[in-house]
Amino acid sequence: MRTGERADWGSPYDEGVSEIIELCRRAREASYALAAASRATKDAALHAMAAALRDNTETIVAANSKDVAAAREAGTPESTVDRLALDPGRVDAMAAGLEQLAGLVDPVGEVVRGYTLPNGLELKQVRVPFGVVGIIYEARPNVTADAAGICLKSGNAVLLRGSSSAAASNEAIVAVLREAATQAGLPADVIQGVPGDRAAVKELMQARGLVDVLIPRGGAGLIQTVVTESTVPVIETGVGNCHIYVDEDADLDLALTILLNAKTQRPSVCNAAESLLVHASVADQFLAKALPALAQAGVTVHGDPTVVAQGKDIPEAKDILAATEEDYGKEYTSLDLSAAVVDSIDAAIAHIRKYSSAHTDAIITRSQSAARRFTQSVDSAAVVVNASTRFTDGGEFGFGAEIGISTQKLHARGPMGLPEMTSTKYVVIGEGQIRT
Amino acid sequence: MRTGERADWGSPYDEGVSEIIELCRRAREASYALAAASRATKDAALHAMAAALRDNTETIVAANSKDVAAAREAGTPESTVDRLALDPGRVDAMAAGLEQLAGLVDPVGEVVRGYTLPNGLELKQVRVPFGVVGIIYEARPNVTADAAGICLKSGNAVLLRGSSSAAASNEAIVAVLREAATQAGLPADVIQGVPGDRAAVKELMQARGLVDVLIPRGGAGLIQTVVTESTVPVIETGVGNCHIYVDEDADLDLALTILLNAKTQRPSVCNAAESLLVHASVADQFLAKALPALAQAGVTVHGDPTVVAQGKDIPEAKDILAATEEDYGKEYTSLDLSAAVVDSIDAAIAHIRKYSSAHTDAIITRSQSAARRFTQSVDSAAVVVNASTRFTDGGEFGFGAEIGISTQKLHARGPMGLPEMTSTKYVVIGEGQIRT
């Protein structure tokens, strides 16, 4: 048996297990058919799912309006309600996303490496699906279709656990997708919603051996819970405390353009910049331009004493707050920015090592040796030279699809596309070889 | 900050943390220098470590004799004492292992993929060390040098936690290796032993954010403990309930040769066969030969009713025990074998799905379609056609080094060599690109 299996969810031969375990088992069983399915079958299923979403727009929007009404009644902020709400345009976008997946190369079956051993054994390392993937996510119901599509294309049965605030929407979407998958000859159970309360989610997180990997998508609180409470392996996604370091050899105009883009183009996302570091030798010159520009863009700066002092001399840049230790470690996801002056590139690297979430960190410099030192010494999922942090994204990286951005080091790091949703196995072909 | 970090081990700015956390922090600090070290430096360190082991053979063997004496006094079985015992020959073998590592390609810096994006950004995915690796292992003190060498070559600082029964040996080896690493200019703290009781190990397992990955090496009990109690990501190794399926189209002589090799050549290891499945149409013919041959090789067969009945007709094959459900799920690591007759290849695949530990499973067949069906449908780390299961091994696969055999699906699966001891990062080079 797999280690940890029986202790956690009972013998595989047990009767009378819980609803969640039963659901996991059905996913496992369905995963065998999906793993063996050809790309043609999977793409046909994706097209059927897209068509079914469009055909059932009315039902889906009606279900969603119940969630929206309940959210408004509960006093949910309008920005959150907006993320929750579906209209025919958003349903169509979900369908288009599934069609796009159908156009991508199938990662399953790719030979990662292969050679013949001295004894004549032919060895191949081949991409295979994980098997059963659990996605635990918040708010936006479009994740339901998106995650279901990515899992299906990569050959994985999926267990979808959305937030209770989107329960009616998710239930409607899952029902439509399941029915559509069967039209392509796949078992409906390759896509399942996970019902129940927190205890049910806890059971899902402990279903080691039945669920191969869990991917949480959402805020830091959700990710923290899944990471600490799961015995199923987890791929951690998302938290981004991204830095921009303006080197002594930086083109300062270019630095300012990049900083403003990274901070303000879409401040709510994980690859937005949260912290600015400036080399002391260019601090006066850079901050004299940057502080008014940031103020004009609506950015609140939380600065170290040097930055605060500098701000006092610039009338357009008043209201600079004093940064605390906590500020440096923070993912604001708002128009806030921590800022500090550093004496050297090494001090910048040390600051990043201490405070960064290791998502994306950038240096602005004209110096080849500074760029080399920064990219070698900063150990983040993405290390950027002379460009915005906002490019760390599966779409921008050309992956065609993205299930999330891993900020951990095991299995996948950075944007995760279809290949990151697979494992591998070795296939060894012989003609009677034995070990002596 | 990294998710899960503060909750588990306090703020990175805290004073007065425990000895274990302090040790982890020193490893983290030392890991930066090691990650930046060239292959030449790392190979020089490996050679210095090998020379130092040889120079200090007497000290190491003397320390080991204390462990051996204590083990004998505690009534430890002589086979376990033998695994624990070091002599000059075994110390020399440890040194030779380190020298062999120096000859292997450095995985750090390998460009896994790279291309230029439409906007001109140059994207590279590059192998980087994990950072800090914890190894928790049992008995054999040679693992101390072996694991330290593999971690050093792959650029990782290592925290070594051996069993208390080898404490004196491990302490002596670690002291020698640390001193030798400094001769090549590396910080001694790239190699550290983890002292203390079970509470200390528990702290190590919870040091998420300070330790990047834990690798347990040992029996199922140890692995189970590490898997369930760690918040640090774990790579699970080792449990092998390996199957040999003799297909209806098998060359039966070849099948018997492979079965005997896989079961008896070294029954204590994880890639030894533990279970035999035979297609019903060749069962009489195959078992008539196999049961006496297994009996002669000292193998105790635990058979299903068909196998037991067949055994009764073969005088040389008496004493076949009735297999229980538990037998089918068991890694015996002894001269025991479960055996069952199946009606079809699909029944064999279903049996393997139910009971296999997904380490290594083999089919013996002359049929191309049976081989294809088996290799596609059996989802194990290694799936073998017409060869012994005993080949699933880093050395046999040509990796040059092996830290263990992963039976999980995340990050690494099957034998883990140097590349499996790394993560990757994306390096993105631009000239002012911003996102619009």
Side-chain angles (χ1 to χ4, degrees):
Chain A
M1 91 219 120
R2 291 171 173 82
T3 305
E5 192 166 287
R6 294 191 186 185
D8 294 319
W9 51 272
S11 157
Y13 335 115
D14 276 356
E15 300 298 322
V17 295
S18 79
E19 186 189 3
I20 298 299
I21 296 304
E22 194 46 46
L23 189 127
C24 294
R25 284 191 190 173
R26 289 208 312 270
R28 169 70 59 202
E29 197 57 37
S31 77
Y32 299 134
L34 180 55
S38 66
R39 175 175 170 183
T41 299
K42 292 188 285 188
D43 290 351
L46 289 166
H47 281 294
M49 286 155 65
L53 285 178
R54 291 203 179 93
D55 290 349
N56 290 278
T57 300
E58 224 169 286
T59 318
I60 292 167
V61 172
N64 178 254
S65 65
K66 285 184 214 162
D67 289 332
V68 167
R72 287 224 171 90
E73 204 163 307
T76 309
E78 212 42 40
S79 63
T80 308
V81 172
D82 177 62
R83 282 205 293 274
L84 176 62
L86 293 176
D87 57 24
R90 286 186 173 180
V91 174
D92 188 68
M94 282 160 53
L98 294 173
E99 285 162 346
Q100 192 186 329
L101 279 168
L104 298 177
V105 169
D106 188 345
V108 175
E110 186 198 344
V111 176
V112 177
R113 56 179 159 179
Y115 42 80
T116 302
L117 299 176
N119 60 7
L121 283 177
E122 292 169 35
L123 185 76
K124 278 193 307 185
Q125 186 182 17
V126 186
R127 282 203 188 284
V128 294
F130 285 126
V132 178
V133 174
I135 314 274
I136 302 179
Y137 56 103
E138 288 174 335
R140 295 176 186 266
N142 64 314
V143 173
T144 306
D146 189 36
I150 289 176
C151 288
L152 188 133
K153 178 81 187 202
S154 54
N156 295 295
V158 68
L159 299 170
L160 295 157
R161 173 66 188 200
S163 69
S164 53
S165 64
S169 317
N170 290 337
E171 198 181 324
I173 294 167
V174 166
V176 166
L177 297 179
R178 281 169 60 88
E179 160 62 22
T182 64
Q183 289 168 32
L186 292 172
D189 285 342
V190 297
I191 301 167
Q192 293 180 87
V194 177
D197 54 8
R198 274 164 188 273
V201 181
K202 176 91 182 177
E203 233 180 321
L204 176 66
M205 295 191 293
Q206 301 277 331
R208 190 176 176 94
L210 275 178
V211 179
D212 293 296
V213 58
L214 282 177
I215 304 176
R217 282 181 62 166
L222 171 75
I223 293 168
Q224 172 77 21
T225 301
V226 176
V227 161
T228 51
E229 296 192 8
S230 295
T231 56
V232 172
V234 174
I235 299 181
E236 205 178 315
T237 63
V239 174
N241 173 19
C242 303
H243 293 70
I244 291 193
Y245 164 59
V246 180
D247 186 47
E248 58 182 327
D249 282 328
D251 174 330
L252 297 184
D253 291 334
L254 187 139
L256 184 55
T257 308
I258 289 172
L259 173 65
L260 289 171
N261 180 260
K263 180 66 254 178
T264 68
Q265 195 249 348
R266 200 172 164 204
S268 65
V269 292
C270 60
N271 54 20
E274 305 289 10
S275 193
L276 166 70
L277 301 172
V278 188
H279 193 285
S281 70
V282 295
D284 285 5
Q285 202 188 338
F286 183 69
L287 292 172
K289 285 186 178 184
L291 293 178
L294 286 164
Q296 207 187 340
V299 176
T300 303
V301 173
H302 306 252
D304 72 357
T306 316
V307 175
V308 170
Q310 179 98 7
K312 291 216 172 90
D313 301 335
I314 308 170
E316 314 94 294
K318 53 179 180 277
D319 296 337
I320 292 182
L321 306 176
T324 61
E325 281 282 301
E326 209 195 338
D327 278 305
Y328 296 129
K330 213 168 192 171
E331 182 186 36
Y332 293 111
T333 61
S334 62
L335 282 173
D336 290 78
L337 179 75
S338 67
V341 173
V342 290
D343 285 333
S344 65
I345 185 171
D346 285 342
I349 291 167
H351 183 106
I352 290 169
R353 281 180 180 160
K354 190 167 179 184
Y355 298 107
S356 171
S357 66
H359 184 298
T360 302
D361 297 297
I363 183 174
I364 315 301
T365 189
R366 283 175 297 215
S367 155
Q368 174 64 14
S369 76
R372 188 173 151 90
R373 176 146 187 74
F374 191 86
T375 55
Q376 283 184 343
S377 301
V378 171
D379 184 27
S380 298
V383 188
V384 177
V385 179
N386 292 336
S388 175
T389 55
R390 290 274 295 109
F391 288 108
T392 304
D393 174 271
E396 293 294 325
F397 277 13
F399 297 173
E402 182 196 280
I403 193 80
I405 296 176
S406 164
T407 50
Q408 64 171 40
K409 296 185 186 174
L410 226 57
H411 186 74
R413 200 166 184 213
M416 292 188 289
L418 293 174
E420 284 74 21
M421 293 297 285
T422 64
S423 183
T424 61
K425 69 180 175 194
Y426 288 97
V427 175
V428 184
I429 310 288
E431 43 180 10
Q433 282 86 346
I434 57 170
R435 190 137 168 217
T436 50
Chain B
M1 92 216 120
R2 290 170 175 81
T3 307
E5 192 166 285
R6 293 192 187 184
D8 294 320
W9 53 270
S11 157
Y13 334 116
D14 276 356
E15 301 297 322
V17 295
S18 78
E19 186 190 4
I20 298 299
I21 296 305
E22 193 48 45
L23 188 127
C24 294
R25 285 192 190 173
R26 289 210 311 270
R28 169 69 59 201
E29 196 58 36
S31 77
Y32 298 134
L34 181 54
S38 66
R39 174 174 171 183
T41 299
K42 292 188 285 188
D43 290 350
L46 289 166
H47 281 293
M49 286 155 65
L53 285 179
R54 290 202 180 94
D55 289 349
N56 290 277
T57 300
E58 224 170 289
T59 318
I60 293 167
V61 171
N64 178 254
S65 64
K66 286 184 213 162
D67 288 333
V68 167
R72 287 223 171 90
E73 204 163 309
T76 309
E78 212 41 40
S79 63
T80 309
V81 172
D82 178 62
R83 283 204 293 275
L84 175 62
L86 292 176
D87 57 24
R90 285 186 173 180
V91 173
D92 188 68
M94 284 159 53
L98 294 173
E99 285 162 345
Q100 191 185 330
L101 280 167
L104 297 178
V105 170
D106 189 344
V108 174
E110 185 198 347
V111 176
V112 177
R113 56 180 159 180
Y115 42 81
T116 301
L117 299 175
N119 60 7
L121 283 177
E122 292 168 35
L123 184 76
K124 278 192 307 184
Q125 187 183 15
V126 185
R127 283 204 187 284
V128 295
F130 285 126
V132 179
V133 174
I135 315 273
I136 302 178
Y137 56 103
E138 289 174 333
R140 295 175 187 266
N142 65 313
V143 172
T144 306
D146 188 37
I150 289 176
C151 288
L152 188 134
K153 178 81 188 203
S154 55
N156 294 295
V158 68
L159 298 170
L160 295 157
R161 172 65 188 201
S163 69
S164 53
S165 64
S169 318
N170 290 337
E171 199 181 323
I173 295 166
V174 166
V176 166
L177 297 179
R178 281 168 61 89
E179 161 62 21
T182 64
Q183 288 169 32
L186 292 173
D189 285 343
V190 296
I191 301 167
Q192 292 181 86
V194 177
D197 54 8
R198 274 164 188 275
V201 180
K202 177 91 183 175
E203 233 180 321
L204 175 67
M205 295 191 292
Q206 300 278 331
R208 190 178 176 94
L210 276 178
V211 179
D212 293 296
V213 58
L214 282 179
I215 304 177
R217 282 181 62 166
L222 170 76
I223 294 168
Q224 171 78 19
T225 300
V226 175
V227 160
T228 53
E229 296 193 8
S230 296
T231 56
V232 173
V234 174
I235 299 182
E236 205 178 316
T237 62
V239 174
N241 173 19
C242 304
H243 293 70
I244 291 193
Y245 164 59
V246 179
D247 186 47
E248 58 181 328
D249 282 329
D251 174 330
L252 298 184
D253 291 334
L254 188 139
L256 184 55
T257 306
I258 288 172
L259 173 65
L260 288 171
N261 181 259
K263 180 66 253 179
T264 69
Q265 196 250 350
R266 200 172 163 203
S268 64
V269 293
C270 62
N271 56 19
E274 306 289 10
S275 194
L276 166 70
L277 301 172
V278 188
H279 192 286
S281 70
V282 295
D284 285 5
Q285 201 188 338
F286 182 69
L287 292 173
K289 283 186 179 185
L291 293 179
L294 287 164
Q296 206 186 343
V299 176
T300 302
V301 173
H302 306 252
D304 73 356
T306 316
V307 174
V308 170
Q310 178 98 6
K312 290 215 173 93
D313 301 336
I314 307 171
E316 314 94 294
K318 54 180 178 275
D319 297 337
I320 293 181
L321 306 175
T324 61
E325 281 282 300
E326 210 196 337
D327 278 305
Y328 296 129
K330 213 168 191 172
E331 183 186 34
Y332 292 112
T333 61
S334 62
L335 283 173
D336 290 78
L337 179 76
S338 67
V341 173
V342 291
D343 286 334
S344 65
I345 186 172
D346 285 342
I349 291 166
H351 183 105
I352 289 169
R353 281 180 180 159
K354 191 167 177 184
Y355 297 107
S356 172
S357 65
H359 184 299
T360 302
D361 296 296
I363 183 174
I364 317 300
T365 190
R366 283 175 298 215
S367 155
Q368 173 66 11
S369 76
R372 189 174 152 90
R373 176 145 188 75
F374 191 86
T375 55
Q376 284 184 344
S377 301
V378 171
D379 184 26
S380 297
V383 188
V384 176
V385 179
N386 293 335
S388 174
T389 55
R390 291 275 294 109
F391 288 108
T392 305
D393 173 273
E396 293 294 324
F397 277 13
F399 296 174
E402 182 196 280
I403 193 80
I405 296 176
S406 165
T407 50
Q408 63 170 41
K409 295 185 186 174
L410 226 58
H411 186 73
R413 200 167 184 213
M416 292 189 289
L418 293 173
E420 284 74 22
M421 293 297 285
T422 64
S423 182
T424 61
K425 70 180 176 193
Y426 287 97
V427 175
V428 184
I429 310 288
E431 44 180 8
Q433 282 86 344
I434 57 170
R435 189 137 169 214
T436 49

